Structure formats: C-alpha cells, structure tokens
Amino acid sequence: MCRRGGADLDVVRRLLERDELALQALMAQYGDELQRTAFLLVKDRQAAEEAVMDTFIQAYRKIHQLKEPDKLRGWLLRIVVNRCRMKMRTWSWRNLFPSASIERMIEETEPGPENLLLAEWRNQRLSEAIHRLDYRYREVITLYYYNELSVLEIAEHVKSNENTVKARLARGRMRLRQMLEEEGDGDEDGAGAL
C-alpha cells in the first residue's frame, strides 16, 4: 500500500489551521479504507457510515491531539475501530433484522461474467464468515488483512500485547477456515448454489 507521508503532513497542517477543504481531502483520501474497515467490524452499512463520519468529525475537532502527523492513517484507523467498538456495545437491536445478503462495498471491474460471479460468491462467503466471528477476532483479522497493519500496530490499536494479537489472529483464521469448510461441505450437492 502506498504511504502518503508528505500529503498527510500537509493535510494535518491545514486541519490545524481549520481549513475545511483539508477535511474534504482527508475524507477523499481515507474514506473508502475506513468505510471497508468499519463495515467488516460492525456488519451494517449504515452503522459503518455513521462510524466513519464520526471519525472524520472527531479527527477535525481533535487534530491537535495527533502528536505524530506522519501517523495520520493509524490515528484515523484507531478512531474508527473505537467508534465501531462503541456501536457494537450499544446495539441491542442488531439481531432483530437479519440481512438477506451482505452488500459489496467496492465495485470492481473483472474480465468476464463467470469470473465476476465466482469472485462475488467468494467475497460474499468470506465477508459473511468474517461477520460471524466474535468481535475480537473480527477486529484483528480486519486490521491485519484489510488494513495491512503489523501485529505491533494492531497491539497498539487494541491496547493489548503482541502475543494476544497473534493468538487472536491464529484463532480467527482457524475459525474462518472451519466455517468455510463447513459451508463447502453443504454446497457440494448444489443445494446451496446461488
């Protein structure tokens, strides 16, 4: 992933000066990544959008608290993860309305209809499996694989030690593998096909 060091420093400087155009630039630069992260964590598009908007509002209001401007991306990820945690704690109604399917977050161009269908099916299965994980596993899996954070960076985000993060990653991967294999066994006769 391309790091945006110089551009981030400029955006932070402009945010400190209360430049609203800098906020728009920040949203354009990090919005998609934060949206994907939030969606994988909270399993709901609207709640993810709220978490991301809350993140940008908090970042704009508290940019002076960012001690290392070159770590803007990590700071934003930490805020969105914390917002998602708060939403997961406060949702009492989240299981009342089961969703029929998981919407795709990003439109991708693919060579042909067969590849598109296969990729969509795989992404949907993986997304649904990730959503069934306990939050602590879902969080580290999302940060590690989708946001490409190191184990050390994740440990800082979740305020835990590296061994705990490694254990959660291993358990989360093992649980994902089990869920996907169980689903695969039930689909061999074609009954679970689209």
Side-chain angles (χ1 to χ4, degrees):
M1 175 173 267
C2 175
R3 300 290 183 224
R4 307 163 186 95
D8 282 355
L9 296 176
D10 181 56
V11 168
V12 170
R13 179 188 55 76
R14 290 172 43 212
L15 285 171
L16 286 167
E17 296 168 357
R18 292 304 194 214
D19 180 355
E20 290 184 18
L21 292 176
L23 178 60
Q24 291 176 2
L26 186 71
M27 293 169 76
Q29 194 169 359
Y30 291 105
D32 289 342
E33 181 179 11
L34 296 178
Q35 183 70 29
R36 266 192 316 274
T37 301
F39 179 71
L40 286 167
L41 294 174
V42 298
K43 307 186 238 182
D44 179 77
R45 182 180 293 267
Q46 185 176 2
E49 288 173 359
E50 289 174 14
V52 171
M53 290 312 297
D54 289 347
T55 297
F56 286 126
I57 291 168
Q58 185 174 356
Y60 184 74
R61 288 181 180 160
K62 298 186 178 187
I63 191 67
H64 63 279
Q65 292 180 358
L66 177 61
K67 301 300 181 208
E68 299 177 59
D70 59 325
K71 295 189 177 181
L72 176 63
R73 177 178 176 261
W75 186 64
L76 291 171
L77 284 169
R78 181 173 294 129
I79 294 171
V80 82
V81 166
N82 287 336
R83 291 290 177 192
C84 290
R85 275 192 197 136
M86 286 178 8
K87 288 199 175 295
M88 293 303 292
R89 286 186 199 128
T90 59
W91 282 1
S92 60
W93 50 267
R94 71 180 179 272
N95 293 322
L96 293 178
F97 305 103
S99 60
S101 66
I102 304 299
E103 296 177 27
R104 291 189 60 184
M105 292 294 293
I106 298 175
E107 295 290 325
E108 297 178 2
T109 57
E110 300 193 18
E114 298 88 10
N115 289 340
L116 179 62
L117 185 62
L118 185 59
E120 186 172 342
W121 179 74
R122 285 181 182 152
N123 287 339
Q124 183 175 353
R125 281 185 68 209
L126 182 58
S127 183
E128 289 171 352
I130 289 171
H131 287 160
R132 288 194 310 265
L133 288 173
D134 287 343
Y135 185 84
R136 61 185 170 183
Y137 302 130
R138 190 167 63 238
E139 182 176 57
V140 295
I141 295 265
T142 299
L143 292 173
Y144 188 79
Y145 289 104
Y146 291 91
N147 296 106
E148 300 176 353
L149 295 183
S150 69
V151 170
L152 177 61
E153 290 170 318
I154 295 169
E156 291 171 1
H157 279 282
V158 299
K159 296 184 179 14
S160 188
N161 68 49
E162 290 178 67
N163 288 333
T164 301
V165 170
K166 289 177 186 177
R168 288 180 183 173
L169 277 170
R171 289 182 188 123
R173 283 188 294 252
M174 183 176 64
R175 185 66 191 125
L176 273 176
R177 185 179 306 119
Q178 289 171 345
M179 285 189 276
L180 292 172
E181 286 173 357
E182 288 169 6
E183 288 175 8
D185 291 342
D187 289 344
E188 288 177 1
D189 62 353
L194 299 173

